[in-house]
Amino acid sequence: MKFDKSKAEFSVLEPGTYDFTVVEAEDTIYEQNNNEPQIKVLLRIFYGEDSTILLNQWLSSTVKVYKLKQFLYSVGLQEDWEAEEVDPADLFGLSGKLELTVYEDRNNIKRNGVGKYYPLEEEEVKPKKKPKAKAKPKPKKTDAYSTNLDDDIPF
């Protein structure tokens, strides 16, 4: 296999606002915090002409829950926030906007992180489920097949 060693550099984007799409999402637990339930999402972040990076994020159900709320509002799942339940399978392919930050990890390596997720504008809010169709009224017996035998038709 041939490869380009110049591509081994770790990409860190400048702080700013970027579009993202959810590539993967799965339920996980955070063992270091009493087996706390969380959702691991893999985000594709778009920058430049045709460039992307991938960024893992963990959305917690007990710590920094405001990030979970921001995320759900960003991808149009406000109903899930209000219902206090989200299914990771519903997240695949959803898109939104986020504010990317730069921080140094414990090894002094610069990395990207999510500062916040931006909610959709009111006109962009996507309903999660189609509204139920109204039931059609049942036809009256006299509408199609009348049992009224007092008509003027001679038989």
Side-chain angles (χ1 to χ4, degrees), residues 65-119:
V65 181
Y66 66 91
K67 288 254 185 160
L68 176 60
K69 179 180 182 180
Q70 289 176 355
F71 176 82
L72 292 174
Y73 272 70
S74 180
V75 297
L77 295 180
Q78 297 87 332
E79 291 176 1
D80 286 17
W81 173 256
E82 296 302 325
E84 298 183 8
E85 187 171 4
V86 61
D87 182 352
D90 293 341
L91 304 178
F92 180 76
L94 297 180
S95 299
K97 284 192 182 301
L98 56 76
E99 180 180 305
L100 211 55
T101 61
V102 176
Y103 69 95
E104 285 188 12
D105 67 12
R106 60 187 132 185
N107 299 320
N108 297 325
I109 297 173
K110 288 187 177 186
R111 299 196 180 272
N112 284 121
V114 175
K116 69 178 181 178
Y117 297 93
Y118 291 104

